[in-house]
Amino acid sequence: MNELIYGPGGLTHGLTMAVIASAVPLAAAMLVGFVISIFQAVTQIQDQTLSYLPKLAAVCLVFFLLGPVFCQSLLELMDLTFQELPGIFKLG
């Protein structure tokens, strides 16, 4: 089997990076949404649009703070992929 797809650091590294890169902003949005919903329950404000801006701000803040880490991880994955690329298309 192909080392890039099935070996260590191949597809599993890419999928792990995708899960982490999407789970961290999602967790931040969920946490902010939970805090806003508790605030709405305590104050009895039932506005559906109240939580959109804080969630958006939290996700933007996460991307601003962790964007360099995500980009570095993506660059490492691209480097690994391009190093293994000649082995994929080996002729003969």
Side-chain angles (χ1 to χ4, degrees):
M1 291 289 156
N2 191 351
E3 182 72 21
L4 177 66
I5 295 175
Y6 297 106
L11 184 64
T12 54
H13 181 67
L15 289 175
T16 303
M17 189 182 70
V19 167
I20 291 172
S22 62
V24 174
L26 181 64
M30 287 174 46
L31 181 66
V32 169
F34 180 72
V35 170
I36 294 295
S37 68
I38 295 295
F39 174 74
Q40 285 180 332
V42 168
T43 60
Q44 296 181 354
I45 298 173
Q46 298 301 321
D47 188 15
Q48 296 297 321
T49 61
L50 184 63
S51 65
Y52 290 129
L53 188 61
K55 284 182 187 178
L56 180 65
V59 170
C60 288
L61 182 67
V62 166
F63 279 135
F64 179 73
L65 293 176
L66 296 178
V69 175
F70 293 154
C71 286
Q72 181 65 32
S73 208
L74 180 63
L75 287 173
E76 289 173 4
L77 179 65
M78 287 175 54
D79 188 40
L80 175 69
T81 302
F82 287 137
Q83 286 177 0
E84 296 292 327
L85 203 56
I88 295 172
F89 298 108
K90 196 183 315 181
L91 298 175

